[in-house]
Amino acid sequence: MHLKKLFVNMGFLGVFIFGIMTFVLVTQVDNDVTYTITNNTFINNTYGSLSGNLSISEEKLQVATGNFDNNTQIAGGGELDVIPVVSQGRITKTIIIGLWNIYIQMPQVIFGVSPIVAGFISSVLLLFLILGIWAIWKGVVGT
Amino acid sequence: MVTYPDLSSLNNQSGIGGLLAVPTSGYPYFWLWIMVSLWAIISSTLYFKEKERKGFGSLLSSLAVASFAIIILSTIGSILEIITVEIMIYILVFNFLIIGVWFFFSNS
């Protein structure tokens, strides 16, 4: 999968899940339901983590934009200048991995998916992310 | 701790919610199976209708759309207190999985 598509999909999926959870919670609270979904510790943690991850993403990307603007271009002979995209690459990886960890935690806890299976899928994702970001740094592929 | 209602809890004030909650006293997963059946019916109806209309259908989209419908129905069920928190968690996580797969693997 293309890195840009993966990044956009992970972001939108996080927002979607957060939106659905908020819809369910707000509807339950407005109708005075005795046991809301946040009574469950796992859902409460996931909801909190999602909210934190999505709000921190914006702050981090603001910082990355600042780094990109402030970076001084150095034209070295025979060198490939990758400094302006390093910061963005790292944040892209952090956001994707952060949201993925929250997403994979749900079936792992509720349906009892083996941690080995989840770990394997996470490792493959991490590997492809590193390779993708490395390829962008080196100018092999675009975003 | 969730207490499941039984026939003794039925009175004039319990209303339609109390009546609908009666089957859960004998079998807590009663409404979960109803929701699973509804999910299967909605998704297959959407898929085969699309196939009939276009000649081809997207099964993943149909499953995801049915998941949204089931989440809304379950929320209504939780307001009527026929869907317990435990069942709601199962429904949410299962539907999140379907929606996630649809997000990542739909061609559009």
Side-chain angles (χ1 to χ4, degrees):
Chain A
M1 188 183 282
H2 215 275
L3 190 65
K4 185 182 169 186
K5 197 181 174 188
L6 181 71
F7 178 69
V8 171
N9 277 352
M10 282 308 295
F12 272 111
L13 185 63
V15 173
F16 244 75
I17 291 177
F18 183 75
I20 292 168
M21 279 184 176
T22 308
F23 163 73
V24 173
L25 189 62
V26 167
T27 312
Q28 286 185 336
V29 169
D30 284 352
N31 289 281
D32 300 324
V33 174
T34 320
Y35 301 103
T36 56
I37 52 165
T38 45
N39 276 36
N40 184 291
T41 321
F42 168 68
I43 288 290
N44 202 7
N45 290 342
T46 314
Y47 187 72
S49 304
L50 263 177
S51 175
N53 199 317
L54 293 171
S55 56
I56 288 168
S57 302
E58 194 199 347
E59 289 170 22
K60 282 187 173 177
L61 283 168
Q62 289 288 352
V63 174
T65 312
N67 291 345
F68 184 77
D69 289 341
N70 296 332
N71 189 263
T72 312
Q73 191 73 21
I74 302 163
E79 277 184 10
L80 185 65
D81 186 29
V82 293
I83 295 164
V85 291
V86 167
S87 178
Q88 283 84 341
R90 282 179 184 156
I91 291 161
T92 305
K93 190 216 75 181
T94 311
I95 292 169
I96 293 174
I97 292 297
L99 288 172
W100 173 258
N101 283 340
I102 294 164
Y103 186 67
I104 199 72
Q105 206 186 2
M106 292 182 180
Q108 198 176 335
V109 173
I110 301 294
F111 296 129
V113 173
S114 165
I116 297 168
V117 176
F120 172 74
I121 299 170
S122 300
S123 307
V124 172
L125 179 74
L126 198 61
L127 185 69
F128 277 104
L129 266 178
I130 293 166
L131 287 174
I133 291 167
W134 176 82
I136 290 169
W137 285 354
K138 293 293 178 187
V140 180
V141 292
T143 51
Chain B
M1 186 68 184
V2 179
T3 50
Y4 297 108
D6 55 23
L7 286 172
S8 62
S9 63
L10 271 183
N11 53 47
N12 288 336
Q13 278 77 43
S14 58
I16 188 75
L19 194 64
L20 290 170
V22 169
T24 55
S25 61
Y27 185 60
Y29 295 104
F30 178 83
W31 284 103
L32 176 65
W33 284 112
I34 299 287
M35 288 298 163
V36 171
S37 311
L38 279 174
W39 176 76
I41 291 166
I42 295 170
S43 55
S44 54
T45 306
L46 286 171
Y47 174 70
F48 287 112
K49 192 68 190 170
E50 190 184 12
K51 202 173 178 183
E52 187 185 304
R53 202 175 60 247
K54 288 185 183 173
F56 63 92
S58 170
L59 183 59
L60 213 48
S61 301
S62 307
L63 294 176
V65 172
S67 296
F68 283 116
I70 291 302
I71 288 173
I72 294 168
L73 281 176
S74 305
T75 309
I76 296 168
S78 71
I79 293 168
L80 292 171
E81 296 192 355
I82 58 175
I83 303 273
T84 58
V85 183
E86 290 84 357
I87 305 242
M88 191 71 196
I89 303 302
Y90 275 109
I91 289 172
L92 274 180
V93 174
F94 177 75
N95 288 317
F96 284 161
L97 264 180
I98 301 285
I99 293 166
V101 172
W102 172 58
F103 247 87
F104 281 107
F105 296 104
S106 61
N107 291 326
S108 59

